[in-house]
Amino acid sequence: MNHKPKLELTWIGKDRQPKFEPRILIEDPEKSYGQHHSPISKGGTQGGSNMLIYGDNLLALKALEQDFAGAIKCIYIDPPFNTGSAFEHYDDSLEHSIWLQMMRDRFNVLVNLLKEDGFLVVHLDDTEMPYCKVLLDEIFGRNNYLNTISLKTLDPSGFKSTGNKIFSTTNYLLVFVKDRSKAKTNTVYIEKNYDEQYSQYLINKSEYYSDWKWKSIKEFLAIDIHGYTSVREAQSKIGREFFEEEVAKFAIENADSVFQTAAIGGGALLKRKATIEKSKKERGRVFIHPDEDLDDFYILNGRQIIFFSKRLVKIDGTVVPGEVITDFWTDISWNGIASEGDVSFKNGKKPEALIHRILKLCSNEDDWVLDSFLGSGTTAAVSHKMKRKWIGIELGEHCHTHCIPRLQKVCDGTDQGGISQTVPSWEGQGVGWKGGGGFKYYYLAPSLLKQDKYNNWVINPEYNGNMLASAMAKHEGFRYQPDEQIYWKQGQSTEKDFIYTTTQFITVETLDRIHEEMQSGESLLICCKSFSKACEDRYSNITVKKIPKMLLGRCEFGKEDYSLNIINMPVDPNEPEFIPQGIKQKPPAVKKKNSKTEPNLFNTENVGEE
């Protein structure tokens, strides 16, 4: 059989695809903050609280997969750029391979989390962007590639020439969709300055077009309005800057009568050629082509009259000159963002205005937004202010030193920087953020299995009964939902398929009692440390399996860090040095089951319920 050749990107170790352990998430209520569901959280597809997750982002993404598969509308990530310093101990080919492997593993989970009409936006520089594009083509399909957006991030004026390098001032946004046939971007406009090419003003627009009279706006203002003898005198008396501002304001307020002329080409030229030639001969007179099918196609001196009103758009309720955004963004400033969120994150922070635009383009209110490289918390902060539900994942200690304080201020309404009230004129008038909502803080549970001193795999002693039951439900594809009355109904996969996890020895008597309580059509999986041999195949609708034997070989247990030490966070000279090395510290102590404050395991069925 002949197989079509496959076009793909290859690298060292690509064939290694580890099976990642599906961890459970545990809430730390002391770090959660505010109203745990914002006003816009009710009634969504998933519903529930914003989530700040501390831990390895690959394991955290895997932990979300069961409950958020197909639920996220927009994923923005700003992964390490792999500029060379991340892998100082490796040669270039291996360094490049490690980066690709790291991203491939994460993209494979991210694509599962996206809604069918969802967007993935990956922020990179040119070091790995071309390779990442090919990698995403393979995972998402080339047909689901939408755009590469170029961002001007630096001003070259301050650079000194070295003679052997062209300075880079550009970052890139790779934009993919889950399903191109279903995904649709929102129309987003950016404000532009008054275009001085629209310099002519129709004095008598209300009259018949053949009787139209016009003057330059500057002459009309200077002579007819202010009574000066010339534009030069008006500029001298009023002040050139003030006069130019008045011209721009007048053009906007009278946009239906302000115009410029433009060359006519293509099919429009062929269709109206006779009228255009006549217009060239009878200069100064306005024509309409016979049998014209457009309401406002006027011809003057062989050119088309274009009214300034065609350039006006409504942005956040205000009519201004504007245009639809393209794939080249030069108007978002990286200067002056150091104070946004009241957190310092040198060279690592992204402008709130950038995330604001991405979310305007790719999401709507109440949609879920995810950032698994959260950094200083910008994506979560902007999502919160824009009334999106958000999930942020961060491995570094700045999850606690940067993200938590920043997001607390957003909830309180004391963060009035960034997009809260005022953003640059091209982005509208801000979102009017006054505060509200909250978030829940989660950390990853440790690995379910660990090796004892004899290298035997055993249940991690840090797991109490509640954690073990939740973890086993996730491993077996059940949703953890303990029944309030029937103890062995801890979770279910369908309406009548249940799971029960216990560390007790299962006897025939135990099995018989459970079977007597079961209803017709119900089935049960029992996961335990040991059971009587007589329990095997005793009932056709009850399956008994041993932990940990039933889990071995399914995934990698005991590994806490898939970051590959790639994350090189910027150092604030005023803070102690911190180099993230994965989750090295022990997570907060888990209290025993008889405690009054047992940890709250993540369960989307209860998210948003107080």
Side-chain angles (χ1 to χ4, degrees):
M1 180 182 292
N2 293 326
H3 295 281
K4 292 182 180 180
K6 182 180 180 182
L7 182 65
E8 64 176 320
L9 180 66
T10 61
W11 62 84
I12 299 170
K14 182 180 180 180
D15 57 339
R16 180 183 176 271
Q17 299 200 26
K19 297 179 181 179
F20 308 106
E21 180 185 359
R23 302 288 183 88
I24 58 173
L25 297 171
I26 302 176
E27 185 193 2
D28 182 348
E30 293 184 0
K31 292 184 176 67
S32 297
Y33 194 78
Q35 295 177 341
H36 287 167
H37 50 75
S38 62
I40 52 88
S41 295
K42 301 272 190 177
T45 302
Q46 292 293 114
S49 303
N50 301 314
M51 300 174 67
L52 177 61
I53 303 172
Y54 174 59
D56 179 273
N57 64 7
L58 182 53
L59 290 173
L61 289 172
K62 195 67 179 175
L64 292 170
E65 201 169 28
Q66 182 185 52
D67 297 296
F68 282 89
I72 308 298
K73 182 60 180 290
C74 180
I75 297 173
Y76 167 84
I77 60 172
D78 174 29
F81 285 1
N82 193 16
T83 55
S85 60
F87 300 102
E88 60 182 339
H89 301 299
Y90 300 105
D91 62 47
D92 181 67
S93 62
L94 185 57
E95 166 191 333
H96 178 59
S97 296
I98 291 174
W99 190 91
L100 289 170
Q101 185 82 3
M102 183 191 82
M103 296 311 301
R104 190 276 307 273
D105 293 341
R106 285 155 177 78
F107 288 146
N108 281 336
V109 183
L110 291 173
V111 70
N112 292 332
L113 295 175
L114 277 178
K115 294 180 69 174
E116 290 300 304
D117 60 348
F119 295 81
L120 171 69
V121 181
V122 184
H123 189 150
L124 294 166
D125 68 2
D126 59 357
T127 307
E128 294 289 0
M129 184 276 287
Y131 302 96
C132 189
K133 163 65 168 66
V134 179
L135 175 61
L136 288 169
D137 282 343
E138 187 175 329
I139 295 172
F140 279 74
R142 288 185 67 184
N143 186 56
N144 290 317
Y145 164 69
L146 200 62
N147 279 105
T148 298
I149 297 170
S150 299
L151 308 171
K152 182 181 177 182
T153 62
L154 296 171
D155 188 339
S157 60
F159 292 138
K160 295 181 180 179
S161 175
T162 62
N164 62 358
K165 183 180 180 181
I166 299 174
F167 288 106
S168 175
T169 64
T170 309
N171 281 184
Y172 304 92
L173 301 177
L174 290 173
V175 185
F176 277 76
V177 294
K178 180 73 168 285
D179 186 338
R180 194 184 185 107
S181 68
K182 298 177 181 177
K184 183 180 180 181
T185 56
N186 297 318
T187 301
V188 176
Y189 295 98
I190 57 173
E191 185 175 342
K192 307 292 288 186
N193 292 326
Y194 160 61
D195 185 349
E196 293 185 357
Q197 297 297 315
Y198 290 88
S199 60
Q200 303 300 312
Y201 171 60
L202 284 177
I203 300 171
N204 57 340
K205 174 74 180 297
S206 61
E207 296 184 19
Y208 194 64
Y209 70 87
S210 61
D211 297 326
W212 280 352
K213 307 291 182 184
W214 55 89
K215 275 188 177 182
S216 77
I217 299 176
K218 290 183 179 181
E219 288 183 350
F220 184 77
L221 284 175
I223 300 171
D224 293 63
I225 300 299
H226 290 297
Y228 296 109
T229 59
S230 66
V231 173
R232 179 175 293 182
E233 183 184 4
Q235 291 174 332
S236 175
K237 297 291 186 179
I238 299 175
R240 178 180 293 271
E241 184 176 347
F242 181 82
F243 183 75
E244 296 300 327
E245 289 178 358
E246 189 173 356
V247 169
K249 182 180 179 182
F250 181 89
I252 295 173
E253 292 176 347
N254 299 275
D256 287 337
S257 299
V258 171
F259 70 94
Q260 67 162 316
T261 60
I264 304 171
L269 172 62
L270 295 175
K271 179 180 178 180
R272 303 169 177 87
K273 188 173 182 180
T275 305
I276 291 171
E277 293 302 320
K278 186 177 182 181
S279 170
K280 288 180 180 179
K281 294 176 182 178
E282 300 184 38
R283 301 183 67 81
R285 180 182 170 191
V286 179
F287 286 84
I288 291 180
H289 185 69
D291 300 321
E292 179 62 67
D293 55 355
L294 297 177
D295 292 337
D296 57 354
F297 202 107
Y298 300 101
I299 300 171
L300 173 65
N301 301 334
R303 296 164 65 86
Q304 182 184 0
I305 291 177
I306 307 293
F307 290 103
F308 191 42
S309 55
K310 297 288 188 181
R311 296 292 306 274
L312 299 187
V313 297
K314 183 175 286 188
I315 300 178
D316 294 335
T318 303
V319 176
V320 294
E323 63 184 19
V324 176
I325 61 168
T326 67
D327 60 357
F328 188 45
W329 298 357
T330 62
D331 55 336
I332 296 178
S333 176
W334 259 246
N335 296 322
I337 66 170
S339 62
E340 288 187 352
D342 291 330
V343 292
S344 175
F345 208 63
K346 187 178 180 182
N347 298 326
K349 185 186 289 187
K350 300 301 180 289
E352 286 199 11
L354 172 64
I355 308 302
H356 181 242
R357 179 173 295 177
I358 292 169
L359 296 187
K360 282 180 69 175
L361 186 68
C362 301
S363 70
N364 299 296
E365 286 189 14
D366 209 27
D367 281 335
W368 277 104
V369 175
L370 169 67
D371 185 345
S372 55
F373 293 88
L374 191 57
S376 66
T378 303
T379 303
V382 173
S383 298
H384 200 107
K385 295 175 185 179
M386 293 180 69
K387 298 181 181 178
R388 274 70 168 163
K389 296 174 290 188
W390 56 265
I391 301 172
I393 304 170
E394 184 49 59
L395 168 67
E397 186 58 29
H398 43 281
C399 178
H400 305 117
T401 59
H402 290 62
C403 297
I404 289 179
R406 180 176 190 172
L407 294 169
Q408 287 175 339
K409 291 174 184 175
V410 171
C411 296
D412 291 341
T414 56
D415 175 3
Q416 289 299 299
I419 67 164
S420 292
Q421 291 298 327
T422 305
V423 289
S425 61
W426 40 258
E427 199 70 27
Q429 302 300 315
V431 297
W433 180 248
K434 303 297 183 183
F439 60 91
K440 288 188 177 182
Y441 171 97
Y442 296 91
Y443 62 89
L444 280 166
S447 182
L448 176 57
L449 302 184
K450 65 180 296 184
Q451 290 180 298
D452 63 14
K453 61 181 180 179
Y454 303 108
N455 292 326
N456 295 317
W457 287 101
V458 297
I459 298 173
N460 194 325
E462 293 186 50
Y463 273 68
N464 61 23
N466 191 25
M467 293 171 65
L468 179 61
S470 179
M472 289 305 303
K474 176 163 284 196
H475 273 275
E476 295 299 318
F478 289 76
R479 191 172 297 277
Y480 182 64
Q481 295 175 295
D483 189 281
E484 295 181 359
Q485 298 178 337
I486 304 175
Y487 71 92
W488 51 265
K489 289 186 175 182
Q490 294 175 338
Q492 58 189 120
S493 58
T494 65
E495 185 178 352
K496 293 191 174 184
D497 296 323
F498 299 92
I499 187 173
Y500 171 47
T501 299
T502 179
T503 55
Q504 296 179 353
F505 179 78
I506 297 295
T507 64
V508 171
E509 290 75 19
T510 301
L511 215 60
D512 290 342
R513 286 196 300 270
I514 291 176
H515 187 262
E516 288 178 3
E517 296 180 13
M518 295 178 68
Q519 302 297 315
S520 175
E522 291 184 341
S523 65
L524 177 65
L525 170 62
I526 298 178
C527 307
C528 59
K529 294 180 70 174
S530 59
F531 59 89
S532 169
K533 189 169 180 61
C535 292
E536 290 184 353
D537 302 322
R538 184 171 180 84
Y539 296 106
S540 61
N541 60 344
I542 300 179
T543 303
V544 187
K545 293 184 178 181
K546 286 185 179 181
I547 313 170
K549 182 179 178 180
M550 62 185 292
L551 297 174
L552 295 177
R554 291 189 183 181
C555 56
E556 291 186 334
F557 290 102
K559 187 167 183 177
E560 302 294 338
D561 181 9
Y562 286 91
S563 68
L564 301 173
N565 297 321
I566 193 171
I567 299 178
N568 293 306
M569 300 313 302
V571 177
D572 186 332
N574 299 320
E575 294 180 355
E577 182 178 3
F578 175 78
I579 303 177
Q581 297 292 329
I583 305 176
K584 299 300 183 183
Q585 77 260 31
K586 189 176 180 180
V590 176
K591 299 183 180 181
K592 297 185 181 297
K593 191 168 183 178
N594 59 3
S595 169
K596 294 182 179 179
T597 57
E598 190 171 39
N600 179 20
L601 302 180
F602 172 64
N603 176 354
T604 53
E605 291 300 317
N606 296 324
V607 167
E609 297 176 6
E610 298 303 322

